[in-house]
Amino acid sequence: MRARTRSRKYSDPVTYYFYDAGGQPRKEIPLGTDYVLAVKKWAELETKKQVPAVTFNQLAARYIHDIINSGKTAPSTAKRYQAWLKPLQQFFGNPDAPLNKIHPSHISQYLQWRKDTPTTANNEISLFTIMWNYGRELGYTNQASPAQGVKKHTLKGRKDVYIEDHIYKFVYSHADETIRDLMDLAYITGQRPIDLVKIHSHHIHDGILHITQQKTGAKLRFHITGDLADIINKRNTGSYLFHNSQGAPLTRKALTERWVRLRHNLIARYPEMAKDLESFQFRDLRAKAGTDIYLSSDADTARAQLGHTSTAMTKQYIRKDKVLEPLKRK
């Protein structure tokens, strides 16, 4: 509120009050000379003043700057987020929707629009909620995510896939030495493929293997004993444990290509096992490890081995329930 005092020749000075409405040129609304009434009118005008709502593209730009491009997420995660964000911006950002105008019905419409890729659509809505909650932290909105309570696509996913021991042993028996060691390492540690191929001799000291997960940054330590010791003693030559045929460090992509090639060759030779082999992805060994630890111990032990922060996350990797014992008759 602005105040201007004007002198008078034959009486006391008078103070006039104004509401600054901004604009170019500046616009001022007179509020009178009574201070109490002027404050009341100023408050009424201030309440009526409309603050432009934050839009989806503004939220997306802030999230890209603060999170995706900031190095706070793993490169692979940032790449996925960028891919998932494109259709979200196409739907909610063209035209640019104010956050307070996005409702649950729009989330349902989005899922229907992306029905041809249901898994990706579900992931995109998960990212939408992550971004929305970040916007709440910034004060962009005080509303809960409109995706909350909206049913996503029902998927026939990989959460039911468990690699039985006989399938594991069958593939293992036909694999080369590098793939065998990687399979063993994936199973006995429960780590992701990307973290296995990046193990370097620098991660091995004082009888402990140190792994920092690329996806989450979780730091894990494994005593180098038993099968783990056998693999490390054989492969620890002062560099990366795993290399390609040219001697360069083995990449995650190269591992996948070798795995797919092995699987296809086995399907061609043993078509009767095609169903089991087709569903066997290398990453399933992480779920097998988590499941087997849970079956022999408990969910919290599996959580620690997989590097999760909560057992709720670990339960997504557990593919079997424990065998129950019947009660004895009294």
Side-chain angles (χ1 to χ4, degrees):
M1 185 171 68
R2 294 177 176 270
R4 293 192 182 91
T5 301
R6 295 180 180 177
S7 300
R8 292 188 174 186
K9 189 173 182 178
Y10 300 107
S11 61
D12 295 333
V14 177
T15 300
Y16 295 87
Y17 300 99
F18 301 86
Y19 178 84
D20 185 356
Q24 290 291 338
R26 184 178 298 279
K27 180 181 179 181
E28 293 182 339
I29 300 174
L31 302 177
T33 58
D34 186 302
Y35 177 76
V36 174
L37 293 178
V39 170
K40 183 179 179 181
K41 291 179 181 179
W42 177 89
E44 291 174 352
L45 291 169
E46 190 69 12
T47 301
K48 292 179 181 179
K49 184 171 67 174
Q50 293 185 351
V51 178
V54 177
T55 65
F56 182 81
N57 280 337
Q58 289 173 325
L59 171 60
R62 182 66 182 270
Y63 191 80
I64 291 171
H65 177 271
D66 291 359
I67 306 298
I68 295 178
N69 292 342
S70 66
K72 295 180 180 179
T73 59
S76 58
T77 301
K79 186 176 181 179
R80 287 197 302 271
Y81 280 7
Q82 288 171 341
W84 295 343
L85 187 54
K86 287 181 180 179
L88 287 171
Q89 288 184 296
Q90 184 179 350
F91 187 89
F92 294 106
N94 185 26
D96 199 5
L99 297 184
N100 59 10
K101 298 296 183 181
I102 301 177
H103 303 301
S105 60
H106 299 128
I107 304 300
S108 295
Q109 291 170 17
Y110 181 89
L111 289 167
Q112 181 63 23
W113 179 59
R114 298 282 287 157
K115 64 181 179 180
D116 292 338
T117 54
T119 300
T120 305
N122 286 354
N123 290 332
E124 290 159 1
I125 292 302
S126 295
L127 175 60
F128 176 95
T129 297
I130 292 172
M131 291 171 53
W132 188 279
N133 289 336
Y134 185 67
R136 292 183 68 183
E137 293 178 12
L138 298 175
Y140 286 0
T141 178
N142 58 5
Q143 300 174 1
S145 170
Q148 183 176 324
V150 177
K151 185 177 180 180
K152 295 182 181 179
H153 293 293
T154 301
L155 304 174
K156 295 180 180 179
R158 306 199 55 75
K159 293 184 179 180
D160 295 327
V161 176
Y162 173 79
I163 306 305
E164 299 289 351
D165 290 345
H166 71 280
I167 298 298
Y168 177 95
K169 292 176 181 177
F170 177 80
V171 174
Y172 187 92
S173 67
H174 291 83
D176 60 41
E177 185 178 18
T178 296
I179 294 297
R180 287 185 180 186
D181 287 347
L182 280 163
M183 289 177 69
D184 282 338
L185 197 57
Y187 178 67
I188 63 180
T189 65
Q191 300 309 297
R192 299 179 181 88
I194 186 63
D195 297 318
L196 300 178
V197 297
K198 289 194 171 184
I199 295 177
H200 192 279
S201 61
H202 293 160
H203 304 144
I204 302 165
H205 49 85
D206 300 326
I208 294 175
L209 169 62
H210 300 257
I211 292 179
T212 299
Q213 295 183 343
Q214 178 174 297
K215 182 177 181 180
T216 64
K219 298 181 183 298
L220 306 177
R221 301 187 302 161
F222 295 89
H223 279 294
I224 301 176
T225 59
D227 293 335
L228 179 58
D230 293 340
I231 296 171
I232 288 179
N233 291 337
K234 177 173 60 175
R235 291 191 166 272
N236 186 12
T237 59
S239 180
Y240 289 97
L241 295 194
F242 298 97
H243 300 83
N244 61 23
S245 57
Q246 285 75 42
L250 187 68
T251 64
R252 172 69 174 90
K253 181 180 179 182
L255 168 57
T256 299
E257 291 171 349
R258 291 177 67 164
W259 181 261
V260 170
R261 189 160 55 246
L262 169 63
R263 194 175 58 195
H264 286 175
N265 290 339
L266 290 177
I267 291 173
R269 292 173 59 187
Y270 305 95
E272 68 278 9
M273 300 187 66
K275 184 177 180 181
D276 289 325
L277 293 172
E278 285 173 351
S279 63
F280 190 175
Q281 297 184 14
F282 191 91
R283 60 177 177 166
D284 292 326
L285 295 177
R286 178 168 165 82
K288 178 175 176 60
T291 301
D292 290 357
I293 294 170
Y294 164 73
L295 293 176
S296 62
S297 183
D298 54 44
D300 193 59
T301 303
R303 177 201 61 76
Q305 184 90 3
L306 299 186
H308 292 151
T309 56
S310 69
T311 54
M313 174 61 72
T314 304
K315 288 178 181 178
Q316 297 183 32
Y317 286 78
I318 295 174
R319 307 293 167 81
K320 283 186 175 183
D321 290 325
K322 293 188 177 185
V323 177
L324 303 177
E325 296 293 337
L327 291 173
K328 294 182 179 180
R329 294 178 62 184
K330 294 183 179 180

